[in-house]
Amino acid sequence: MYEPATYRICIKGELDQRWSEYFGAQSVVLGIDEAGHKLTTIISEPMDQAALVGVINHLNALGIALISVTATQERKSNA
Protein backbone atom coordinates (compact mmCIF):
# COMPACT_ATOMS: atom_id res chain seq x y z
CA MET A 1 0.00 0.00 0.00
CA TYR A 2 2.47 2.66 1.19
CA GLU A 3 6.20 2.26 0.75
CA PRO A 4 8.46 2.76 3.78
CA ALA A 5 9.78 6.31 4.05
CA THR A 6 12.28 8.27 6.10
CA TYR A 7 10.72 10.87 8.39
CA ARG A 8 11.98 14.04 10.07
CA ILE A 9 10.18 14.20 13.41
CA CYS A 10 10.64 17.51 15.20
CA ILE A 11 9.86 17.64 18.93
CA LYS A 12 9.97 20.28 21.62
CA GLY A 13 12.86 19.97 24.05
CA GLU A 14 16.16 18.15 24.02
CA LEU A 15 16.84 14.42 23.60
CA ASP A 16 20.34 13.01 23.37
CA GLN A 17 21.74 10.34 21.05
CA ARG A 18 20.87 7.56 23.51
CA TRP A 19 17.27 7.86 22.31
CA SER A 20 18.14 7.10 18.67
CA GLU A 21 17.93 3.32 19.13
CA TYR A 22 14.69 3.58 21.13
CA PHE A 23 13.02 5.48 18.28
CA GLY A 24 14.72 3.53 15.47
CA ALA A 25 16.47 6.68 14.28
CA GLN A 26 19.38 7.26 11.94
CA SER A 27 20.20 10.35 13.95
CA VAL A 28 19.04 12.74 16.65
CA VAL A 29 19.86 16.39 15.91
CA LEU A 30 19.64 19.11 18.55
CA GLY A 31 18.67 22.65 17.61
CA ILE A 32 17.07 25.91 18.65
CA ASP A 33 14.02 27.53 17.06
CA GLU A 34 13.61 31.22 16.16
CA ALA A 35 12.34 32.02 19.66
CA GLY A 36 15.38 30.39 21.31
CA HIS A 37 13.60 27.23 22.51
CA LYS A 38 15.40 23.89 22.39
CA LEU A 39 14.12 21.34 19.90
CA THR A 40 15.20 17.94 18.64
CA THR A 41 14.86 16.47 15.16
CA ILE A 42 14.71 12.69 14.92
CA ILE A 43 15.58 11.36 11.47
CA SER A 44 14.11 7.88 11.20
CA GLU A 45 15.21 4.77 9.44
CA PRO A 46 12.85 3.94 6.55
CA MET A 47 9.57 2.85 8.19
CA ASP A 48 5.98 2.27 7.20
CA GLN A 49 3.08 4.36 8.46
CA ALA A 50 2.19 1.89 11.22
CA ALA A 51 5.71 2.20 12.66
CA LEU A 52 5.47 5.99 12.39
CA VAL A 53 2.25 5.95 14.41
CA GLY A 54 4.05 3.79 16.99
CA VAL A 55 6.85 6.38 17.33
CA ILE A 56 4.31 9.19 17.68
CA ASN A 57 2.46 7.19 20.35
CA HIS A 58 5.75 6.64 22.25
CA LEU A 59 6.45 10.38 22.17
CA ASN A 60 2.95 11.06 23.46
CA ALA A 61 3.31 8.48 26.26
CA LEU A 62 6.57 10.16 27.33
CA GLY A 63 4.82 13.56 27.41
CA ILE A 64 7.00 14.96 24.61
CA ALA A 65 5.41 17.70 22.48
CA LEU A 66 5.38 16.96 18.76
CA ILE A 67 6.12 19.96 16.51
CA SER A 68 6.09 18.39 13.04
CA VAL A 69 6.46 15.20 11.01
CA THR A 70 7.77 15.39 7.44
CA ALA A 71 8.39 12.56 4.97
CA THR A 72 11.75 13.00 3.25
CA GLN A 73 13.48 11.48 0.27
CA GLU A 74 16.56 10.64 2.37
CA ARG A 75 17.38 6.95 2.27
CA LYS A 76 20.04 5.00 4.09
CA SER A 77 22.43 3.29 1.70
CA ASN A 78 22.57 -0.51 1.86
CA ALA A 79 25.91 -0.62 0.04
Side-chain angles (χ1 to χ4, degrees):
M1 182 172 215
Y2 293 102
E3 292 295 317
T6 300
Y7 295 94
R8 296 176 69 86
I9 304 165
C10 187
I11 59 172
K12 190 174 189 177
E14 184 177 335
L15 293 180
D16 62 32
Q17 287 293 332
R18 292 179 287 180
W19 287 93
S20 63
E21 186 177 330
Y22 181 81
F23 289 113
Q26 286 180 8
S27 64
V28 175
V29 180
L30 303 177
I32 298 178
D33 67 11
E34 302 83 28
H37 300 109
K38 292 180 181 180
L39 57 87
T40 302
T41 301
I42 300 168
I43 302 173
S44 75
E45 297 283 343
M47 66 173 76
D48 61 21
Q49 288 185 350
L52 175 62
V53 170
V55 170
I56 292 169
N57 285 338
H58 282 296
L59 291 168
N60 182 55
L62 292 169
I64 298 172
L66 180 66
I67 296 172
S68 66
V69 176
T70 307
T72 70
Q73 296 301 320
E74 298 173 24
R75 293 199 177 256
K76 187 174 181 181
S77 173
N78 291 336

